[in-house]
Amino acid sequence: MLLFSPITPFEFNNQVFYVKRDDLLDKNFNGNKARKFYYFLKRDFPNIKKVISFGSNQSNAMYSLSVLAKIKGWEFIYYTNHISSYLKNNPQGNYLYALKNGMKIIECGLSNEEMRNFVLNLRDKNTLIIEEGGRVKESEEGIKNLADEIKEFAKKHNLKIFLPSGTGATAFFLAKNLDIEVITTPCVGDKEYLLKQLFLLGEIPYNLTVLSPRKKFIFGKLYKELYLLWKELKLSGIEFDLLYDPIGWDTIKHYNLKNILYIHQGGLNGNESLIKRYKYKFNF
Ligand SMILES: *Cc1c(COP(=O)(O)O)cnc(C)c1O
């Protein structure tokens, strides 16, 4: 697990891009969540018996934590606001796979700061608390490894780095550990919101550029144009995630960005249920 992932050329939209294939790191533990949780994977925590986190009931971080907890022999408790009766009756995607790994999921009706404060207060000496989306300072170690793996290649080919952001932690720590330009775009909220999230991690690195998406996309909402773009990418040879990556590639097209090394951040487990929803909604 976690050997060097390959960088492959990717012809799309009549241009050559390069893609860092972190989706290929491992079958179960891959993408930027594997990088974020690398710190925990590689150390021993003799006192820790369980890990607690919170957030959306389809999140990639939730699934990756279920894998980590299984490897470590920890109990995994995950708090979420609400689980629809549809999902309860038709478990799928990250929710299903995390349950299979032994996740205990609890609906608590809380969100945002209330949820965060509630979970942070559950801390004790046997419990590891992981913030939503894996935004913890420990995530820098694995992301620095990613930076080290791309540094030379990017310089040699004169490439800029591009990746779409949620919390922005991956983009932040990548830029912090590189001296080449890292470009990102917010997928959750707008540019202002992402900048606020980035400030939580410290001073924003000088080489990190945040571009606004072409238009406002509501995170998790289905957009026909994003599905068609995802399909086009897939036909060009690489399957990307359906939540973040179509917004990323739409941004690359919109700004006509060239000489890009794109970071594939995994997340393919979530695609199955999203594809179903897309097919149902748009009759594909
Ligand atoms: C979690 C995730 C992101 C967002 O990562 P941040 O570090 O929160 O910005 C992007 N793409 C995929 C596939 C993810 O799973």
Side-chain angles (χ1 to χ4, degrees):
M1 185 176 289
L2 285 187
L3 297 169
F4 207 97
S5 74
I7 297 174
T8 57
F10 177 58
E11 221 180 302
F12 176 68
N13 209 23
N14 299 318
Q15 270 188 63
V16 177
F17 296 92
Y18 290 91
V19 180
K20 174 68 170 168
R21 301 294 306 273
D22 266 7
D23 55 317
L24 302 178
L25 276 174
D26 177 81
K27 190 170 154 291
N28 296 312
F29 199 61
N30 63 44
N32 68 350
K33 304 307 180 294
R35 300 286 187 181
K36 285 180 172 182
F37 300 142
Y38 175 77
Y39 175 96
F40 300 101
L41 181 71
K42 86 165 219 201
R43 280 180 181 71
D44 277 333
F45 297 86
N47 293 325
I48 296 298
K49 305 255 182 304
K50 65 179 164 197
V51 54
I52 303 183
S53 188
F54 60 98
S56 139
N57 59 40
Q58 280 294 7
S59 117
N60 294 329
M62 173 191 78
Y63 169 72
S64 297
L65 276 176
S66 77
V67 177
L68 177 72
K70 198 173 163 188
I71 293 171
K72 294 289 200 179
W74 297 336
E75 188 184 359
F76 175 35
I77 299 171
Y78 191 80
Y79 288 89
T80 195
N81 179 282
H82 171 76
I83 307 170
S84 70
S85 50
Y86 178 80
L87 186 60
K88 278 182 195 161
N89 295 327
N90 304 277
Q92 50 186 285
N94 286 324
Y95 174 77
L96 170 66
Y97 300 123
L99 286 177
K100 283 189 173 169
N101 284 335
M103 168 183 70
K104 221 161 98 193
I105 190 164
I106 299 170
E107 294 174 85
C108 63
L110 301 174
S111 45
N112 304 327
E113 277 309 291
E114 266 182 3
M115 167 77 100
R116 182 165 180 263
N117 291 330
F118 169 74
V119 174
L120 291 184
N121 273 320
L122 300 172
R123 202 182 293 273
D124 66 43
K125 67 179 194 320
N126 302 125
T127 306
L128 179 67
I129 308 267
I130 303 272
E131 294 241 14
E132 181 165 19
R135 185 188 30 219
V136 283
K137 64 177 186 326
E138 289 85 354
S139 68
E140 180 166 1
E141 181 170 313
I143 298 169
K144 180 177 184 303
N145 292 344
L146 170 60
D148 291 342
E149 289 177 26
I150 60 179
K151 197 174 274 175
E152 225 173 278
F153 186 92
K155 280 190 177 157
K156 186 169 148 204
H157 294 84
N158 206 11
L159 304 172
K160 294 170 186 162
I161 313 301
F162 186 96
L163 71 168
S165 278
T167 65
T170 309
F172 183 97
F173 289 126
L174 207 48
K176 191 179 160 196
N177 288 284
L178 288 170
D179 52 6
I180 41 188
E181 188 178 6
V182 173
I183 307 172
T184 191
T185 191
C187 299
V188 181
D190 60 7
K191 179 173 170 175
E192 289 309 306
Y193 180 75
L194 178 59
L195 288 172
K196 268 193 213 147
Q197 301 282 305
L198 291 168
F199 275 126
L200 295 177
L201 295 165
E203 193 184 329
I204 298 181
Y206 75 95
N207 54 335
L208 179 57
T209 304
V210 178
L211 296 176
S212 286
R214 174 174 56 85
K215 65 179 233 193
K216 186 182 161 85
F217 293 109
I218 296 164
F219 188 63
K221 196 177 155 183
L222 308 185
Y223 295 88
K224 195 173 189 172
E225 67 209 87
L226 293 184
Y227 182 84
L228 294 175
L229 178 56
W230 173 83
K231 191 90 201 219
E232 203 185 324
L233 290 158
K234 193 169 179 202
L235 291 172
S236 304
I238 298 183
E239 179 170 353
F240 287 92
D241 130 283
L242 248 169
L243 272 177
Y244 298 90
D245 289 321
I247 299 176
W249 284 101
D250 188 80
T251 305
I252 288 178
K253 278 176 83 168
H254 179 61
Y255 291 94
N256 196 18
L257 302 180
K258 294 188 165 72
N259 303 318
I260 293 295
L261 172 56
Y262 189 98
I263 311 293
H264 194 317
Q265 301 180 89
L268 301 189
N269 260 329
N271 279 2
E272 178 193 330
S273 52
L274 270 166
I275 293 168
K276 261 193 220 159
R277 284 176 56 205
Y278 265 113
K279 292 203 161 146
Y280 182 77
K281 176 156 184 186
F282 295 108
N283 263 320
F284 286 132

